[in-house]
Amino acid sequence: MLRFVLRRCPRRQQYRHASPHSFSPDSLARPYSKPASQDSSAIPKLAHCAPFPKRTHTCGALSAGDAGKRVILMGWILPERKMKTINKSFYHLKDSSGMTQLLVDHVQGYCWEQLSQIPVESTVLIEGVVVLRPAEAVKPGNTGAIDVDVTNVTLLNPAEKDMVFLPSNPHNLASQTYLGKLPNDELRARYRYLDLRRTALSDNIKKRSKVMHIIRNELHDQDFTEVETPILLRSSPEGAREFLVPARSSAAYDTESKAPVFYALSQSPQQPKQLLICSGGVDKYFQIAKCFRDEDGRKDRQPEFTQVDLEMAFVSWGNEQQSSAATKSNTWRIGGQEVREVVESLVRKIWESIEGVELPETFNVMSYHEAMTRFGSDKPDTRFGLEIVNISDILFVDHTQNEILECIVVRKSAEPEFFKASRSLKTDENVEHFTLSSTSLETWLSKSKFASHVHSAAVTPTSQAQVNQKLDLKSGDELWLSRRPRNPTGGSTALGRVRIQLSDLAQSRGGLVLTQDPHFLWITEFPLFTRDDADKEHLAHGRWSSSHHPFTAPMWEDVEAMYRGEVEKIRGQHYDLVLNGMEIGGGSVRVHDAVMQDHIFTNILKLTDQEKSPFKQLIHALQCGAPPHGGIALGLDRIMSILCKTQSIRDVIAFPKTSSGSDLLFKSPAPVNTEVLEQYGLEPKALS
């Protein structure tokens, strides 16, 4: 094992005291000798555990204006780059602020020999003089015009010579192997502390901090009060699956059943923030809140996540002059206008500060029905076309018919970026695909299995020609057909999924490049209740469930229909904020009428008394003069993934979970000792 001893480079007259944790080339030939009185087991053999000078600058701070200064830098040493024509080498020294290039002379002194023996990614202290680069060698950035001429080196902590992967290698994740395996996502997650050393990830974390600072400042400027709410709450049937936490205290046990009791990790601060506003003690609340949902992981989903949570008192319930009876598009016809204005102001501030982009004063608005009809999705990506067309309307089919026939046309001449993708895309039985020729152009509708099912009358040559003309179909065009309920439900339709698949395939082949300009869009007027949310079926058991959550208010025009039991017709005052096809936030105007809230619980959701029990305090708060109120939760992780231009939210979270919800770094979740479980009144049960 090497002992490193530090000596001054000969260009300096005096020498530093040689500590057992400094470095000298002489030490490579002989072991370090220590006084016999020292206990070798008490002294660290490698890391420098003695005083060292304070650093004067970070690695990203130096510039041409510092030329001539003597500086002390600390950071991670990166691989050597030797010059063929001169006896000098270059190294880069990196810390979280950036990199500085080091200039090391081979002839004068021991500094080059010292550095050449230190493993890459070791932590070192560098003393030297800032020198200007030749004009032809100047690079962009603060440190691009200077080098540091090294006069002294101290090894603070050596890295392993065979690290699992090198964070400093930009090609490392694709080229280096560890135990015969590429350093894939799993390996990176297991050694997250190395992965975070990469500039891309550290920049993401710092950008996240800056965004959180902007959020706090902007909301404080708008008179919002930041309030922390409990993370440990009671389990309640609000939406997704919860994480349960057993309570150990014997006083916490249910006195009647003697059964173990549990906390639930908060899915969101929904009840606490509503009760806060009901109290009247806070008029406008916000919190950057940690939330937990026991859901299957995806690239845009984590079991623990962060949301920017807002709630406001005296939020409006719509505008009679903009009744939902109007058909004008891009109109906000629900309540919550105050929440909309706050969110748009906040988002504009973030994009201006982080991206240098000036967003419009107001974002576009689209009803759920329009989004599902035109794009087949409740979070449509409006950066490309391929809009869905209702063929039933072209055929003047009776609007009381339950199903409609719809299509997407991919035009050979007008949409070449999608055409190749359309020809190779494979779909399921819910969709038909036609490549139109001079022959099939006159028969495709009559041959469609969906057309005969949806339309009882036979398709005639006249109706075929009518549809062809309306759709402006040409030989060579691609046609995608499907049927759906006239009143759309759920988050997407079959053709909506085809539309996204065509876009993804065209992008992967290089034929389509979508703009990165932000396309913000509000989606409003969702169905208030649904039976099409698989994530909530474990709670609904075939009953109606809330599309958003059970505290969302109906649109004022639909209140009477709700009390008449016309559940499928009721629209909610629910709003989602969508950015480039990704939902980044959702909220609603809340029910502030205790009678209405109890009606929703009892008569629509059919909750039992036991299921309603967690909401007793909310019902009573509403009975005590609660103001009309509403709010929203913005997904900070998703917003950051967009700002950092990464596909996975794991790249913007310091210590994320895997797609399965496990933590490979901290090895969680993990079994618990049986004796510990007994303290909670629990018995282990092996999974079959």
Side-chain angles (χ1 to χ4, degrees):
M1 184 178 295
L2 299 179
R3 285 5 182 230
F4 297 122
V5 179
L6 173 70
R7 290 184 179 177
R8 288 282 185 182
C9 301
R11 73 184 71 180
R12 303 291 296 272
Q13 296 299 315
Q14 68 272 25
Y15 287 77
R16 178 180 301 278
H17 171 71
S19 80
H21 314 302
S22 300
F23 173 88
S24 166
D26 293 348
S27 67
L28 299 177
R30 56 179 172 78
Y32 166 69
S33 59
K34 60 182 184 296
S37 60
Q38 287 189 344
D39 178 6
S40 61
S41 64
I43 302 176
K45 297 298 192 300
L46 292 174
H48 180 89
C49 298
F52 52 84
K54 180 180 178 181
R55 73 176 175 180
T56 60
H57 299 79
T58 62
C59 293
L62 295 174
S63 66
D66 297 303
K69 287 184 180 178
R70 292 192 173 276
V71 297
I72 298 174
L73 307 176
M74 299 182 196
W76 290 268
I77 195 72
L78 303 189
E80 177 183 14
R81 181 165 58 90
K82 294 181 180 179
M83 302 300 293
K84 294 181 180 178
T85 57
I86 58 175
N87 289 322
K88 295 188 183 215
S89 287
F90 293 107
Y91 290 83
H92 278 102
L93 187 69
K94 177 186 182 299
D95 65 13
S96 66
S97 71
M99 284 195 295
T100 295
Q101 184 166 272
L102 308 179
L103 178 63
V104 188
D105 196 310
H106 292 193
V107 177
Q108 299 184 34
Y110 294 116
C111 293
W112 172 62
E113 295 179 49
Q114 295 166 10
L115 283 170
S116 66
Q117 296 297 315
I118 294 175
V120 173
E121 296 287 346
S122 296
T123 311
V124 297
L125 180 150
I126 298 293
E127 298 177 62
V129 178
V130 179
V131 295
L132 293 175
R133 293 184 187 180
E136 65 273 13
V138 172
K139 303 291 184 183
N142 268 2
T143 61
I146 60 96
D147 294 327
V148 171
D149 191 3
V150 179
T151 61
N152 204 41
V153 179
T154 303
L155 176 64
L156 297 177
N157 199 4
E160 292 181 329
K161 288 192 174 181
D162 297 314
M163 292 178 66
V164 291
F165 63 87
L166 296 176
S168 57
N169 185 348
H171 309 293
N172 179 69
L173 298 183
S175 60
Q176 188 168 338
T177 60
Y178 173 65
L179 299 179
K181 297 181 180 179
L182 290 174
N184 54 18
D185 287 349
E186 182 177 324
L187 189 64
R188 289 169 54 199
R190 191 178 303 155
Y191 299 98
R192 186 66 170 181
Y193 44 86
L194 291 180
D195 205 27
L196 284 170
R197 196 178 295 177
R198 292 195 297 124
T199 300
L201 285 189
S202 62
D203 284 351
N204 289 351
I205 300 303
K206 285 183 281 189
K207 184 179 286 188
R208 183 184 179 110
S209 174
K210 185 175 181 180
V211 169
M212 293 170 73
H213 183 71
I214 292 168
I215 290 168
R216 283 194 164 95
N217 285 348
E218 180 68 12
L219 292 176
H220 278 300
D221 288 346
Q222 296 193 43
D223 295 326
F224 277 79
T225 302
E226 185 171 8
V227 181
E228 296 173 283
T229 57
I231 290 177
L232 295 174
L233 288 170
R234 177 179 178 176
S235 178
S236 62
E238 294 182 27
R241 293 182 186 273
E242 300 167 315
F243 287 101
L244 298 179
V245 181
R248 182 180 59 83
S249 172
S250 59
Y253 276 69
D254 186 79
T255 55
E256 295 182 3
S257 65
K258 305 297 183 183
V261 291
F262 297 84
Y263 296 106
L265 294 181
S266 173
Q267 295 185 40
S268 75
Q270 190 59 47
Q271 278 204 73
K273 69 179 180 180
Q274 283 194 243
L275 292 168
L276 192 66
I277 297 300
C278 290
S279 74
V282 174
D283 191 71
K284 292 190 286 189
Y285 141 95
F286 90 95
Q287 179 182 192
I288 299 179
K290 207 69 169 166
C291 304
F292 307 87
R293 291 179 186 172
D294 188 6
E295 299 175 317
D296 294 333
R298 294 196 303 248
K299 66 180 181 180
D300 63 344
R301 179 184 287 180
Q302 285 274 293
E304 56 178 308
F305 57 96
T306 307
Q307 65 186 38
V308 182
D309 207 48
L310 309 175
E311 197 77 10
M312 302 171 65
F314 304 107
V315 165
S316 62
W317 259 60
N319 189 329
E320 288 188 81
Q321 279 67 48
Q322 292 183 340
S323 167
S324 61
T327 58
K328 183 180 178 182
S329 184
N330 200 24
T331 302
W332 187 279
R333 291 185 286 260
I334 60 175
Q337 181 67 34
E338 299 84 354
V339 178
R340 176 192 183 184
E341 291 169 357
V342 168
V343 170
E344 290 179 346
S345 171
L346 178 60
V347 170
R348 283 198 305 271
K349 185 69 173 181
I350 293 172
W351 255 255
E352 178 185 5
S353 302
I354 301 297
E355 297 286 272
V357 173
E358 187 174 343
L359 298 177
E361 284 296 312
T362 58
F363 302 158
N364 289 336
V365 180
M366 188 180 294
S367 71
Y368 168 84
H369 188 273
E370 180 183 355
M372 293 290 284
T373 299
R374 291 175 57 191
F375 301 100
S377 172
D378 64 356
K379 45 181 181 292
D381 191 336
T382 56
R383 293 175 296 172
F384 65 98
L386 296 186
E387 291 196 24
I388 299 168
V389 180
N390 184 338
I391 295 176
S392 295
D393 282 357
I394 297 175
L395 293 171
F396 301 105
V397 173
D398 185 359
H399 278 225
T400 61
Q401 196 163 329
N402 291 331
E403 289 190 321
I404 64 168
L405 182 67
E406 58 184 10
C407 72
I408 289 177
V409 181
V410 182
R411 305 181 192 283
K412 183 177 182 180
S413 58
E415 292 159 328
E417 66 272 28
F418 294 107
F419 188 74
K420 290 183 179 179
S422 180
R423 289 215 156 185
S424 58
L425 181 65
K426 305 298 182 184
T427 59
D428 56 33
E429 60 184 7
N430 296 314
V431 177
E432 278 185 306
H433 178 210
F434 291 96
T435 298
L436 300 180
S437 64
S438 57
T439 303
S440 62
L441 190 61
E442 308 301 326
T443 60
W444 64 267
L445 188 56
S446 60
K447 290 184 177 180
S448 167
K449 63 181 180 181
F450 294 135
S452 59
H453 182 88
V454 172
H455 307 302
S456 55
V459 177
T460 65
T462 301
S463 60
Q464 173 79 71
Q466 181 183 8
V467 172
N468 287 355
Q469 181 181 14
K470 194 74 173 180
L471 296 177
D472 192 24
L473 298 180
K474 302 285 193 302
S475 178
D477 289 346
E478 298 269 313
L479 196 66
W480 296 86
L481 293 174
S482 185
R483 59 176 179 166
R484 67 162 174 85
R486 180 168 289 278
N487 292 318
T489 59
S492 64
T493 65
L495 286 188
R497 293 186 287 274
V498 166
R499 180 176 179 270
I500 295 301
Q501 290 167 2
L502 288 172
S503 172
D504 290 345
L505 187 55
Q507 290 179 71
S508 68
R509 295 183 169 192
L512 175 66
V513 179
L514 293 180
T515 177
Q516 294 303 307
D517 293 341
H519 283 222
F520 286 95
L521 177 67
W522 288 104
I523 305 297
T524 63
E525 304 178 40
F526 286 79
L528 189 55
F529 305 104
T530 182
R531 282 196 170 107
D532 289 314
D533 192 338
D535 288 341
K536 298 177 181 178
E537 180 53 34
H538 70 286
L539 294 172
H541 301 297
R543 302 171 294 185
W544 287 102
S545 61
S546 299
S547 299
H548 186 43
H549 56 54
F551 319 116
T552 299
M555 293 181 65
W556 66 270
E557 301 96 324
D558 295 347
V559 170
E560 291 185 8
M562 183 183 72
Y563 284 117
R564 290 196 302 266
E566 300 171 2
V567 180
E568 68 283 352
K569 296 181 180 180
I570 308 166
R571 297 158 300 168
Q573 297 195 62
H574 169 194
Y575 32 81
D576 277 356
L577 183 58
V578 175
L579 171 56
N580 295 349
M582 181 183 294
E583 179 199 334
I584 63 169
S588 67
V589 177
R590 321 302 188 191
V591 175
H592 66 280
D593 179 353
V595 174
M596 180 182 291
Q597 186 67 81
D598 185 68
H599 176 81
I600 290 172
F601 288 154
T602 304
N603 300 319
I604 298 178
L605 302 180
K606 306 290 186 183
L607 301 185
T608 64
D609 288 342
Q610 183 179 2
E611 289 171 324
K612 286 193 293 183
S613 181
F615 307 121
K616 285 183 177 179
Q617 63 278 355
L618 178 62
I619 293 289
H620 186 254
L622 298 181
Q623 293 171 336
C624 296
H629 56 287
I632 194 170
L634 300 173
L636 182 63
D637 305 317
R638 292 185 181 180
I639 290 174
M640 290 311 308
S641 70
I642 293 171
L643 289 172
C644 294
K645 299 173 178 57
T646 176
Q647 293 295 312
S648 173
I649 64 172
R650 292 195 288 272
D651 288 340
V652 299
I653 300 172
F655 298 101
K657 303 290 190 292
T658 66
S659 59
S660 64
S662 61
D663 190 319
L664 300 180
L665 173 59
F666 298 105
K667 307 298 187 293
S668 64
V672 175
N673 188 285
T674 302
E675 294 178 359
V676 175
L677 291 178
E678 289 175 352
Q679 298 176 32
Y680 295 90
L682 302 175
E683 293 182 5
K685 181 180 179 181
L687 297 176
S688 57

